[in-house]
Amino acid sequence: MAAPCRLISRLAVVSGGGSGIGRAVCQRFASEGASVVVADRNEESAHKTLELLSRNYRGQEHVALEVDVSLKESVGRLVNAIQSHYFQPPSICVSAAGITQDEFLLKMEEEDFDRVIQVNLKGTFLLTQAVSSALVAAGISKGSIITVGSIVGKVGNVGQINYSASKAGVEGLTRTAAKELSKYGIRCNCILPGFIASPMTENLPEKVMSKVSPLILMGRMGKPAEVADVCAFLASDDSQYITGVSIEVAGGLFIG
Ligand code: NAP
């Protein structure tokens, strides 16, 4: 079935767009008519996503830009570059850049805790702030900010003290942003993926997966495209009365 075309004439930026969920989001947005800025610290993978978009979705102009979301100057450069190129800020912003540095609480090094918070939580803050400031300054009274938390931000996960804290923070950040930005017409929502097959999860130990799999009602890991489906809904006017919520895309993981 062909994707609907709900994002025609919209400009979107997707951090982490070079891989996994972010790449799938870029593809889905482009398939719905958006122009997409693929933003990633990994220039090579960002350009691979761009190639896919340019080959399959030619009607719009897409670009790939390098960014380190944990650095304010880098995020500022990204948003300036987007505005110089398109003469407008993006009205859709997805913060999908993320990392893991797993270790048990009793062994976690301070720098591994800090790094995960810097990328996952502070990175989401910096991009959300930069894009929403640009929208407000440009007088654009319509925007959709989509953040990517995780189911483990709600329930915790052994070996992920830093990651689960960062993702719980992303949910709180999103709800607060929704409260502050609704008066500017900007909606903010958070996606909570469960276990999604991507480079981030490809090296999960078998003993972890064998414990988790029976807890997934749908009986399998999710696909990045299934997360992208929900992002496209949240980016589009089909969700125009939805803000400040978190949506689990987890196949029923941990509900029982
Ligand atoms: P992924 O395949 O590893 O993609 C993450 C992308 O973000 C990579 O291209 C990575 O670049 C980039 N990145 C990392 N640090 C960055 C930084 N400082 N600035 C800019 N880009 C950066 O992971 P994924 O599975 O698609 O995950 C996407 C998001 O979903 C993450 O926030 C993740 O926490 C979240 N999530 C994933 C799952 C899952 O099961 N996969 C579940 C819940 C939540 P490099 O390749 O250079 O690292």
Side-chain angles (χ1 to χ4, degrees):
M1 200 171 66
C5 277
R6 298 173 294 187
L7 304 178
I8 288 170
S9 305
R10 305 288 301 277
L11 176 60
V13 60
V14 181
S15 78
S19 180
I21 292 171
R23 176 174 285 171
V25 170
C26 291
Q27 290 177 286
R28 179 61 191 256
F29 283 4
S31 78
E32 293 221 25
S35 295
V36 178
V37 178
V38 185
D40 206 291
R41 76 169 170 194
N42 186 330
E43 252 192 302
E44 197 185 326
S45 62
H47 277 94
K48 277 197 188 134
T49 301
L50 179 64
E51 263 171 53
L52 290 170
L53 302 187
S54 306
R55 196 178 325 132
N56 298 319
Y57 310 107
R58 292 189 186 154
Q60 313 94 255
E61 198 191 351
H62 312 294
V63 295
L65 294 171
E66 191 186 357
V67 68
D68 182 341
V69 294
S70 67
L71 301 175
K72 187 175 166 113
E73 306 75 52
S74 180
V75 173
R77 272 197 304 277
L78 169 73
V79 174
N80 286 340
I82 295 170
Q83 299 204 83
S84 305
H85 190 88
Y86 292 97
F87 305 108
Q88 59 180 312
S91 62
I92 301 168
C93 170
V94 181
S95 281
I99 58 167
T100 54
Q101 301 269 342
D102 295 351
E103 189 48 277
F104 298 115
L105 166 65
L106 298 182
K107 294 183 178 169
M108 172 79 58
E109 298 288 347
E110 184 181 357
E111 53 269 29
D112 288 339
F113 185 87
D114 288 346
R115 186 63 196 147
V116 168
I117 298 289
Q118 276 162 7
V119 175
N120 297 3
L121 179 54
K122 187 178 167 194
T124 300
F125 157 68
L126 289 173
L127 188 59
T128 298
Q129 186 189 49
V131 169
S132 51
S133 300
L135 285 170
V136 171
I140 297 174
S141 55
K142 180 173 177 165
S144 176
I145 305 272
I146 300 165
T147 60
V148 182
S150 167
I151 200 85
V152 308
K154 281 176 82 172
V155 300
N157 199 24
V158 172
Q160 292 199 310
I161 193 82
N162 48 2
Y163 184 79
S164 56
S166 73
K167 294 302 189 177
V170 166
E171 268 201 271
L173 177 155
T174 310
R175 278 195 290 271
T176 302
K179 289 186 177 188
E180 294 187 12
L181 296 175
S182 62
K183 64 176 175 232
Y184 301 108
I186 302 172
R187 299 182 295 109
C188 305
N189 295 292
C190 186
I191 302 264
L192 308 181
F195 281 81
I196 309 299
S198 78
M200 183 177 273
T201 50
E202 69 190 356
N203 295 322
L204 280 181
E206 184 47 43
K207 79 172 183 210
V208 172
M209 281 320 297
S210 62
K211 276 194 187 147
V212 169
S213 297
L215 303 174
I216 305 175
L217 296 187
M218 308 279 297
R220 62 169 175 84
M221 290 180 83
K223 301 174 192 155
E226 291 169 327
V227 181
D229 290 344
V230 184
C231 290
F233 166 70
L234 287 175
S236 78
D237 288 347
D238 283 353
S239 60
Q240 61 189 337
Y241 198 54
I242 298 179
T243 194
V245 305
S246 299
I247 301 183
E248 293 180 18
V249 189
L253 176 68
F254 296 136
I255 70 156

